[in-house]
């Protein structure tokens, strides 16, 4: 086939801006050929280069005593957890593929994030996911939900890593553009981490795993453009997953890590061979000669640029010490894995790709990558009109309903608040026998580190309605809620990974949301001492239908790692005994802004972010940590979506108990029960410890109040019966399956 | 007692099983690779859960052709104790060391949750210590766990006390509501006619560690040890 012509028009079709083409010409000293242009188009795509976000990302707090790698330095964040162990963790999006092919899109998202972890030599021990869907009454949403959940389940279950936590919200803004953010957490011995690097003149470069085909070509570019009504035509941009192959790669990688034969290893995700060869070379300050004829292929008539850009799944690139080939090949053979030497390391910043005895591409590795020659932009930012509008909201505009019991029952049926049982029962949550929350539910996922005193506490959080209402405050809340979940389960927050899902960065209002989110995240991460270890940016989450563009709510998902130094300190969210006293720790504010209650019951979508003060939040968390450590309380559960009522219900259900509470006279009862003002935790205390608890709390400069007590099975609010726990539990457990 | 845990490519509960046998039950454990052709003088062979060879075909359908299976069949024929959990149970059915088959769950979905099971008798190596009418909380995690056998086979199994576990509720009642996957007669675990080959879908190794706040499954391993001594 004749080489395709390259001109401005070709560049534009590949998503390259005119000024970017000029820059490429400068790097090469000539016009690129089509293969080279394709290379730049994927490597300089938003997805691979972070060109519109990196400047702001670098303002995030990225240093800490426990960090073993700085953000972006390795495939995932790496944190010292003591006892000679390190924790590798990262969250990543797979939104665009999941929007057009939910099953494979979600499955390969799970595969990709786990590969990031085990190519570092760490064994994945836990997964979490954060999902966003549209209105669940729509057929399309049901189709997306079923496909995405099945995709995550079938891949992760076979791969054998438990899902220990997650969150799901339903909102119309995600009708056409669901979000699939997958997080993986692994453990590796300190000092046994495999780097994604290269080096050593003449060292062989291996490709291992699946053969290469035409699937997922230009996936990175696809992920860097708006979703539109014809996006389904881009299905070839979606890859196909094979969890069995991934499991073999996992076991082989960990066996390789026991040898001394490896220089570096990187998985092949977005942008395939070109991404791993250039990133590994740039990190190792060297280059490679790669012979594309040697890449095992799954189909004929495939062009050089297609081999370079293919995103066929379950492949890795490994640089091996010369002379150790036999050691490595023996391990691959044991696991029936196909491997091939496709090239060698050279001592110059150059990637030479040969195909059919011809040099088909010749590019400097460093010019392709983030931190090297990839472009960096600062985008225009403009405060959207809605921001001032929604501040006009006053609670006095809303009439308080007379029948609050009916409101409570309605909220229990809301898919965002109801049990996610229909979803999580399709995931293996127990494989690995480390999930300590299976029988003792808590606010964060708790993962046992066998043979040590420790456990990990893990959570993913983001209420995007709050972020939409106020990007800075809303994102600080996302970090605060993650930290609160970890503290309430007995852990100490340590570090975060983030998945920043936004609209089109060329839209100044979207960029305003993005920069606000970064500011809020910075402030909160500094306060809680949780540096950012890395993550992923997903722009272009919006759908154009005809002439109008529907952006999603800005959704900066926070994945937080916490540590329980003493696993005996793990705290359940569940009430333990009838007769225990129930207290609220934290401020009582008359606030229903951005609550599920306001949006779903009163149908008011535009209101400010709920009340939140970072200093107060920090104090509340310190107090909760203290009362847990000193064994003063029997349960702790943070107040989030659905307000205090939902919190009480969730604490009551696990052990089939009830509650009898009295609301505060200082605020409206609807605000007290269903408002979502922040920095509040509901705890229960046994009568024997009540005095000690109250004495301690009186000395604190944080509000607290007695709510009531735990009952055998009845729910009572201000002397009105709300019915019995078993009936509420049935509604709560089955709300989602009834809608599907 | 010396246990051999058979590992196939795609096994993923092998580490969990080894941890319980070695660190909790304090027994000798040897890993047996599916390509091995010796059972290394073990007293019992355990087949852990997972997705052997990806289970893209019928679960366990490829694993039965692994080199080690010939030795396992010979071991079983001589009366050696063989015990399969989840994918291990599926493999033993595919190998015909156990009667019946495991079909896709009635809801066509993977199901992972705590279930309760009740031993039908204490006349077998894995139920020896279990008291009558005790409901054990032991989790399941499978997409193909619906036990099925034809009525003739079931009749023989009943007469011969080969049905060992049935799904029940937390109070021990065996009914449709307590059946998570549509298994015939709520069957969760069985043995062969000679009562030396066992299989069950629930995972006792996931309910044997005090750190996970549920040790209902431990009695199954204790039974095996008590029976051996």
């Amino acid at each position: 086939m004749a080489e395709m012509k390259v001109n401005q028009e070709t560049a534009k079709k590949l998503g390259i801006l005119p000024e970017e083409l000029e820059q490429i010409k400068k790097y090469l000293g000539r016009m690129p050929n089509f293969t080279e242009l394709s290379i730049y188009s994927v490597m300089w795509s938003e997805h691979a280069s972070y060109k519109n976000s990196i400047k702001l990302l670098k303002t995030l707090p990225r240093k800490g005593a426990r960090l073993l790698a700085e953000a972006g330095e390795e495939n995932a964040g790496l944190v010292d957890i003591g006892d000679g162990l390190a924790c590798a963790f990262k969250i990543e999006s797979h939104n665009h593929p999941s929007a057009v092919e939910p099953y494979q899109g979600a499955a390969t998202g799970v595969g990709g994030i786990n590969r990031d972890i085990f190519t570092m030599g760490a064994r994945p021990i836990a997964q979490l996911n954060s999902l966003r869907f549209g209105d669940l009454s729509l057929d399309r949403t049901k189709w997306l939900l079923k496909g995405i959940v099945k995709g995550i389940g079938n891949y992760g279950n076979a791969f054998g890593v438990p899902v220990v936590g997650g969150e799901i919200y339903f909102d119309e803004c995600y009708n056409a553009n669901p979000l699939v953010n997958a997080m993986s957490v692994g453990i590796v011995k300190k000092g046994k981490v495999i780097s994604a690097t290269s080096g050593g003149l003449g060292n062989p470069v291996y490709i291992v795993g699946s053969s290469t085909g035409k699937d997922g070509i230009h996936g990175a570019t696809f992920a860097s453009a708006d979703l539109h009504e014809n996006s389904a035509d881009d299905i070839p941009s979606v890859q196909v997953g094979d969890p069995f192959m991934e499991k073999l790669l996992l076991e082989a990688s960990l066996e390789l890590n026991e040898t001394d034969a490896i220089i570096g290893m990187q998985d092949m995700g977005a942008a395939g061979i070109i991404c791993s060869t250039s990133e590994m070379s740039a990190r190792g300050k060297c280059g490679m000669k790669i012979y594309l004829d040697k890449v095992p292929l799954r189909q004929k008539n495939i062009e050089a640029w297609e081999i370079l850009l293919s995103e066929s799944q379950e492949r890795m690139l490994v640089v091996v010490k010369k002379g150790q080939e036999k050691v490595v090949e023996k391990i691959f053979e044991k696991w029936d894995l196909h491997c091939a030497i496709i090239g060698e390391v050279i001592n110059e910043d150059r990637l030479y790709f040969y195909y059919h005895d011809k040099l088909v591409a010749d590019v400097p590795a460093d010019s392709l990558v983030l931190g090297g020659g990839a472009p960096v932009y600062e985008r225009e930012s403009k405060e959207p009109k809605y921001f001032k509008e929604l501040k006009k909201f006053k609670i006095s505009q809303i009439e308080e309903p007379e029948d609050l019991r009916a409101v409570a029952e309605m909220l229990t049926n809301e898919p965002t608040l109801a049990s996610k049982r229909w979803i999580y029962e399709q995931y293996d949550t127990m494989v690995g026998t480390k999930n300590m929350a299976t029988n003792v539910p808590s606010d964060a996922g708790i993962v046992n580190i066998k043979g040590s005193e420790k456990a990990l506490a893990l959570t993913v959080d983001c209420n995007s309605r709050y972020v939409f209402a106020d990007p800075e405050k809303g994102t600080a809340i996302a970090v605060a809620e993650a930290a609160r979940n970890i503290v309430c389960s007995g852990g100490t927050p340590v570090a975060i990974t983030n998945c920043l899902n936004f609209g089109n960065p060329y839209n100044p209002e979207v960029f305003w949301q993005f920069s606000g989110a970064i500011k809020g995240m910075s402030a909160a991460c500094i306060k809680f001492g949780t540096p950012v270890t890395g993550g992923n940016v997903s722009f272009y989450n919006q759908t154009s239908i005809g002439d109008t563009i529907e952006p999603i709510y800005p959704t900066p998902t926070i994945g937080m790692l916490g540590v329980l130094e003493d696993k005996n300190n793990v705290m359940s969210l569940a009430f333990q005994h009838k007769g225990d006293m129930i207290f609220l720790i934290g401020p009582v504010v008359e606030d229903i802004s951005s609550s599920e209650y306001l949006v779903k019951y009163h149908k008011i979508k535009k209101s400010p972010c709920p009340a939140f003060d970072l200093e107060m939040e920090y104090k509340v968390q310190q107090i909760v940590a203290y009362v847990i450590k000193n064994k003063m309380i029997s349960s702790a559960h943070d107040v989030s979506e659905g307000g205090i009522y939902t919190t009480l219900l969730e604490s009551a259900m696990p052990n089939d108990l009830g509650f009898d509470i009295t609301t505060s006279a200082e605020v409206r009862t609807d605000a007290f029960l269903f408002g979502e003002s922040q920095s509040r935790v509901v705890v229960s205390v046994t009568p024997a410890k009540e005095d000690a608890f109250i004495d301690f709390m009186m000395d604190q400069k944080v509000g607290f109040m007695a709510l009531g007590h735990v009952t055998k099975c009845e729910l009572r609010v201000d002397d009105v019966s709300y019915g019995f726990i078993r009936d509420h539990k049935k509604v709560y457990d089955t709300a989602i399956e009834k809608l599907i | 007692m010396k246990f051999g845990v058979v590992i196939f490519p795609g096994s993923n509960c092998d580490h969990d099983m080894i941890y319980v046998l070695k660190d909790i039950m304090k027994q000798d454990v040897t890993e047996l690779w599916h390509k091995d052709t010796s059972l290394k003088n073990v007293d019992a062979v355990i087949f852990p859960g997972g997705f052997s060879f990806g289970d893209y075909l019928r679960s366990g359908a490829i694993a039965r052709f692994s080199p080690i299976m010939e030795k396992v069949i010979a071991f079983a024929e001589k009366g050696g104790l063989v015990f399969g959990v989840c994918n291990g149970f599926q493999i033993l059915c595919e190998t015909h060391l156990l009667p019946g088959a495991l079909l896709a769950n009635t809801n066509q979905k993977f199901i992972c949750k705590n279930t309760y099971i009740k031993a039908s008798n204490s006349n077998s190596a894995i139920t020896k210590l279990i008291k009558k009418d005790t409901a054990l909380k032991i989790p399941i995690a499978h997409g193909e766990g619906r036990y099925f056998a034809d009525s003739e086979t079931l009749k023989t199994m009943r007469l011969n006390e080969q049905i060992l576990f049935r799904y029940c509720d937390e109070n021990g009642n065996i009914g449709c509501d307590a059946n998570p996957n549509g298994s015939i007669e709520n069957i969760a675990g069985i043995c062969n006619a000679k009562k030396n080959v066992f299989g069950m879908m629930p995972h006792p190794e996931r309910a044997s560690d005090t750190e996970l706040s549920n040790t209902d499954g431990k009695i199954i391993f204790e039974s095996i040890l008590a029976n051996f001594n």
Side-chain angles (χ1 to χ4, degrees), chain A residues 242-243 425 428 432 439 448, chain B residues 11 16 56 112 114 206 211-212:
Chain A
D242 177 357
E425 280 187 358
D428 194 334
N439 299 301
N448 192 14
Chain B
S11 296
D16 304 352
Y56 290 123
C112 174
N114 274 325
R206 295 185 181 191
E211 292 189 339
L212 302 184

Side-chain angles (χ1 to χ4, degrees), chain B:
Chain B
M1 208 173 157
K2 187 175 173 187
F3 290 87
V5 175
V6 182
I7 302 171
F8 295 91
S11 296
N12 63 28
C13 303
D14 44 340
H15 292 202
D16 304 352
M17 186 61 86
I18 292 167
Y19 182 76
V20 168
L21 292 171
K22 200 191 246 171
D23 294 79
I24 294 175
M25 306 309 298
K26 310 287 177 201
Q27 302 301 307
D28 280 349
V29 184
T30 301
E31 293 183 14
L32 299 171
W33 182 236
H34 77 115
K35 290 179 191 170
D36 285 350
T37 47
S38 153
L39 295 184
K40 301 180 185 169
N41 292 318
V42 296
D43 302 311
V45 178
I46 310 288
F47 285 81
F51 289 70
S52 50
F53 298 94
D55 279 344
Y56 290 123
L57 197 57
R58 252 177 7 256
S59 299
I62 306 280
R64 64 176 284 212
F65 296 109
S66 276
I68 200 164
M69 292 314 291
E70 236 176 81
K71 302 289 170 191
V72 174
I73 292 167
F75 178 76
E77 275 168 2
K78 275 191 241 151
L81 191 151
V82 179
F83 179 27
V85 171
C86 198
N87 193 224
F89 184 13
Q90 293 163 339
I91 293 167
L92 294 175
C93 288
E94 285 289 332
T95 317
H96 304 302
L97 284 172
L98 287 172
L102 292 147
L103 311 177
N105 300 341
T106 31
N107 72 355
Q108 301 296 314
K109 288 188 184 67
F110 188 93
I111 307 169
C112 174
K113 64 175 187 181
N114 274 325
T115 55
Y116 289 89
I117 57 170
K118 200 159 95 169
S120 312
N121 64 68
S122 54
N123 302 329
S124 82
I126 66 168
T127 58
K128 195 177 172 92
L129 301 180
I130 303 173
K131 287 203 186 82
K132 203 171 170 266
D133 291 329
T134 310
L136 302 172
K137 182 166 87 173
I138 302 183
I140 57 164
H142 57 244
E144 296 177 4
R146 175 160 58 101
Y147 185 75
F148 180 81
D150 60 55
S151 51
E152 273 307 300
T153 310
L154 282 173
K155 201 173 148 194
T156 321
M157 287 170 73
R158 273 194 301 267
L159 284 171
N160 201 22
E161 293 194 317
Q162 283 173 254
I163 297 167
L164 298 182
F165 291 113
R166 284 194 166 91
Y167 296 106
C168 61
D169 66 15
E170 56 184 300
N171 301 314
N173 304 309
I174 296 166
C176 294
D177 288 351
N179 189 340
N181 53 20
S183 287
I184 196 160
E185 293 185 14
N186 279 38
I187 291 174
I190 59 162
C191 65
N192 64 345
K194 279 163 63 188
K195 298 191 182 177
N196 66 317
V197 180
F198 305 88
M200 65 190 290
M201 286 315 291
H203 287 266
E205 82 283 6
R206 295 185 181 191
S208 294
D209 185 354
T210 48
E211 292 189 339
L212 302 184
S213 309
N214 177 14
T215 52
D216 281 11
K218 210 174 158 187
I219 197 161
I220 290 171
F221 300 107
E222 287 164 346
S223 293
I224 293 174
L225 295 179
N227 190 64
F228 184 74
N229 291 326

Side-chain angles (χ1 to χ4, degrees), chain A residues 265-286:
Chain A
M265 183 151 80
Q266 182 165 333
D267 86 292
M268 261 172 262
I273 294 179
I274 185 58
C275 185
S276 16
T277 51
S278 60
E279 289 188 354
M280 289 174 82
S281 298
R283 277 202 195 97
K285 302 208 181 316
C286 58

Side-chain angles (χ1 to χ4, degrees), chain A residues 555-574:
Chain A
T555 315
T557 309
I558 305 297
M560 191 177 278
L561 166 73
V563 173
L564 276 88
E565 293 297 336
D566 177 0
K567 65 181 99 171
N568 295 316
N569 259 340
V570 67
M571 179 51 61
S572 177
L573 63 80

